[in-house]
Amino acid sequence: MNRKISRVFLLSLVLGAPIFSISCDQHSMIYDQINDSPDTIADMIKDSFFNSKQKFKDQTEVLKYLKSILSSYSYVYFDDKSIIKEKDSYLFEYKEVSRNEQYFKYNFKLIGTKYIKNDIVFNHDDYYSFDIDIKRQLELVDNIEFLQTESETSSNNGFAYFTIKNIINYKNFKVKASSEEFNYKNFEYNKNNKNNFIIELYPLYDIDYQFIEFLVSSDNTSKNTTIKIKNNYYSSEIVVLNKKVVETKWADKFTFKILNYKILKNIKIEELNNRFTFAKNFSINNLTGDVEGLALFKDYNGISKTHEFTINIKADDVYEQSFLLKINKINIFENEDKNSNISIDVENPRVLKMSKNIKNLTLISIEDDFYYDNAMFLNGSLVDKDKKSYIGLNEIVVQAKRPPLNNAKKVNYFLIDFDFEYNNDGKKEILNVKGASIDFLVDKWSQKTISIFDKEAKIEVVNNTPNSYLKYELDKEQKNINIYTNSSKVDFKINYDFFRKTYNIKNFENEVEESIFAHTLGFYVNNKDPDYFVQYFIIRDRFRETKKVVFAYKQENSNLESFTITFLYFEV
């Protein structure tokens, strides 16, 4: 027995780790039915795993391989229930001790069993134990599992920390920014650390790059895992802002933030080209870097329109930075359109309700006369031919004169003066606005065909030659007007409210020599009689010889139905 113990311990010293221990009490056993000693079996197992080119995914594959190489050893069992009682044997026990991405470390144990007095005796003090490294084949998985997929850096450094679940299940990590515009300084991982995956970012200089996405994978993943980092590690070389565009409304407050405010000195905020000066100084929160301003400039009257300005922020010893300040128009009217033009209709008047903070409004035509505008203002007091006052009123009633064809204007520009009330830190203030602009867009009119014989046309033929004869007949069925006359000048009048709704009006056609009969080129507004459009016909002396002249109006692409005017010479 002593000779056997000595041999085992000598082998242990030579081989290193494997230990075969035998108890020396009265139950010491001699396995005379076993051909191979435990160390011989252990050496065989070690050699098999070492020489094998196979890699193992899990314990199931390890156990399968073990059983295959031990299949010829009939006295080695993996389950105590399958042991044949009449034989001496070894019970083979195994357990995984540790693992990394390359190896499993297993502990194997051969426990001696003896058949004594019709029973199997396990001597757990009589065993041979050894550790072995087994080549690991990492399983192909979908992606890397993170405990959390979002993180952020501190203001002191660019490190963002993540935790990967079961980090030992992955091999050769790969990190790629989701866009070429993004970049990172370094990444590392430490399997023994709770925050085992770390990405280091460069200092932030542009707010567009504050949120960065990275794609993380490994050799044994089929898909990327997306992680997101908010970079709070701000550059000390340039002013860093939290916004590139700030949108507000005239006379409203607006805010933005200087992210690296604490390291900046002598901050100046101004409009880029110094064309305008803010009506109120900016206030800066010394703890947070939040900046508040009022969207008003001194001596600037463009508040009825949306405008954009570049605002510049400077500080000592760093590069300056700017953002776009978009100031949306104030609503002169509560029910005005969202776009820059106010839509008006040829058919129907539009009632525009003034906003409550608009007072004492005056409307001014840039044409120096409302007559030339393609918009009719149906209320208000006419102060001058180019100015209407709405002081004391709270609405403007407006309608388009004509469809924007036949040289009628589609967009009509006007100036307005008004008082604008706004709140400045709880105090009501009034801004006297001079020369702001407002635009009316003619974009609605009827497309249906109308007839000059409609009642609304109110046709009149007027004789403008004293001591002459004129009589006319309207033949609606034949769409003709017969004019019996010996007058040298005839006015053909159509009701203004009817005729202004026509478009693409053409000249009359006739086959008479110009020396016999002449007429004007089209219909005109008669300033003396604003309720009518007038067509002037001038008749030469030779009309007496001709006796009859027919003028034809052809509809073509206009909305006025075709008709004729027949002049018949007649005298009493």
Side-chain angles (χ1 to χ4, degrees), residues 15 27 50 130 143 318 350 376 416 426 500 548:
L15 295 176
H27 298 292
F50 181 78
F130 62 98
N143 53 18
V318 296
R350 181 172 184 181
M376 302 183 297
I416 48 175
R500 70 180 182 83
K548 180 180 178 180

Side-chain angles (χ1 to χ4, degrees), residues 71-131:
S71 60
S72 60
Y73 295 81
S74 60
Y75 42 82
V76 176
Y77 294 91
F78 290 87
D79 181 3
D80 58 0
K81 294 179 182 178
S82 63
I83 295 175
I84 299 175
K85 295 182 178 180
E86 288 78 12
K87 291 184 179 182
D88 296 340
S89 59
Y90 291 121
L91 178 64
F92 192 94
E93 289 187 349
Y94 55 90
K95 69 175 180 178
E96 182 183 327
V97 178
S98 64
R99 67 169 68 182
N100 57 36
E101 69 269 18
Q102 291 182 303
Y103 294 99
F104 295 110
K105 182 178 285 295
Y106 268 83
N107 175 255
F108 295 146
K109 187 181 291 186
L110 290 164
I111 301 172
T113 67
K114 190 73 175 173
Y115 182 66
I116 301 175
K117 295 181 181 180
N118 297 322
D119 199 6
I120 298 173
V121 178
F122 295 92
N123 186 0
H124 289 280
D125 293 326
D126 185 10
Y127 67 90
Y128 186 90
S129 174
F130 62 98
D131 291 339

Side-chain angles (χ1 to χ4, degrees), residues 43-236:
D43 288 343
M44 184 277 294
I45 293 173
K46 287 182 179 182
D47 289 343
S48 295
F49 276 107
F50 181 78
N51 294 321
S52 174
K53 294 182 179 180
Q54 183 178 348
K55 292 184 178 181
F56 301 87
K57 292 181 180 179
D58 52 28
Q59 185 169 280
T60 301
E61 290 192 356
V62 171
L63 184 58
K64 182 179 179 181
Y65 183 75
L66 275 169
K67 288 182 177 181
S68 69
I69 62 176
L70 290 170
S71 60
S72 60
Y73 295 81
S74 60
Y75 42 82
V76 176
Y77 294 91
F78 290 87
D79 181 3
D80 58 0
K81 294 179 182 178
S82 63
I83 295 175
I84 299 175
K85 295 182 178 180
E86 288 78 12
K87 291 184 179 182
D88 296 340
S89 59
Y90 291 121
L91 178 64
F92 192 94
E93 289 187 349
Y94 55 90
K95 69 175 180 178
E96 182 183 327
V97 178
S98 64
R99 67 169 68 182
N100 57 36
E101 69 269 18
Q102 291 182 303
Y103 294 99
F104 295 110
K105 182 178 285 295
Y106 268 83
N107 175 255
F108 295 146
K109 187 181 291 186
L110 290 164
I111 301 172
T113 67
K114 190 73 175 173
Y115 182 66
I116 301 175
K117 295 181 181 180
N118 297 322
D119 199 6
I120 298 173
V121 178
F122 295 92
N123 186 0
H124 289 280
D125 293 326
D126 185 10
Y127 67 90
Y128 186 90
S129 174
F130 62 98
D131 291 339
I132 185 172
D133 290 333
I134 300 174
K135 291 188 286 286
R136 183 183 180 195
Q137 173 66 56
L138 289 176
E139 290 185 74
L140 182 65
V141 295
D142 280 346
N143 53 18
I144 296 172
E145 290 190 72
F146 283 82
L147 192 62
Q148 83 284 1
T149 56
E150 293 187 7
S151 183
E152 59 184 278
T153 68
S154 72
S155 59
N156 300 318
N157 59 60
F159 294 107
Y161 299 93
F162 294 87
T163 300
I164 295 178
K165 298 179 182 179
N166 302 319
I167 194 169
I168 58 175
N169 289 336
Y170 308 102
K171 183 179 180 181
N172 294 336
F173 288 99
K174 301 168 187 175
V175 177
K176 181 183 178 182
S178 60
S179 171
E180 292 181 358
E181 297 176 350
F182 301 135
N183 205 347
Y184 64 94
K185 193 172 183 180
N186 188 29
F187 84 90
E188 60 185 78
Y189 57 94
N190 183 345
K191 299 172 186 177
N192 299 317
N193 194 316
K194 182 180 179 182
N195 296 318
N196 52 32
F197 193 83
I198 304 167
I199 295 182
E200 183 180 6
L201 303 182
Y202 290 103
L204 178 70
Y205 65 92
D206 190 321
I207 194 61
D208 281 350
Y209 306 113
Q210 184 166 33
F211 292 92
I212 308 176
E213 289 187 344
F214 291 97
L215 307 177
V216 185
S217 62
S218 72
D219 285 351
N220 62 313
T221 53
S222 59
K223 299 177 184 177
N224 295 314
T225 299
T226 301
I227 60 174
K228 189 174 183 179
I229 300 174
K230 180 183 179 183
N231 192 0
N232 300 312
Y233 181 40
Y234 308 123
S235 172
S236 59

Side-chain angles (χ1 to χ4, degrees), residues 48 106 112 114 166 225 236 258 316 356 372 386 400 410 441 482 503:
S48 295
Y106 268 83
K114 190 73 175 173
N166 302 319
T225 299
S236 59
I258 303 175
D316 291 350
K356 293 180 181 180
Y372 298 106
D386 65 341
K410 186 171 186 177
L441 172 67
N482 289 319
Y503 56 84

Side-chain angles (χ1 to χ4, degrees), residues 452-500:
I452 206 160
F453 297 99
D454 293 343
K455 289 182 180 180
E456 293 81 4
K458 298 179 182 178
I459 296 297
E460 288 186 28
V461 182
V462 179
N463 185 0
N464 269 334
T465 304
N467 303 317
S468 61
Y469 178 83
L470 186 143
K471 180 183 177 182
Y472 66 94
E473 299 171 343
L474 304 180
D475 188 344
K476 185 175 183 180
E477 185 175 337
Q478 297 297 321
K479 294 180 174 45
N480 177 60
I481 301 171
N482 289 319
I483 300 176
Y484 305 91
T485 186
N486 63 347
S487 175
S488 60
K489 187 174 185 295
V490 173
D491 292 349
F492 184 78
K493 298 171 63 177
I494 305 176
N495 177 261
Y496 176 84
D497 197 50
F498 169 86
F499 196 75
R500 70 180 182 83

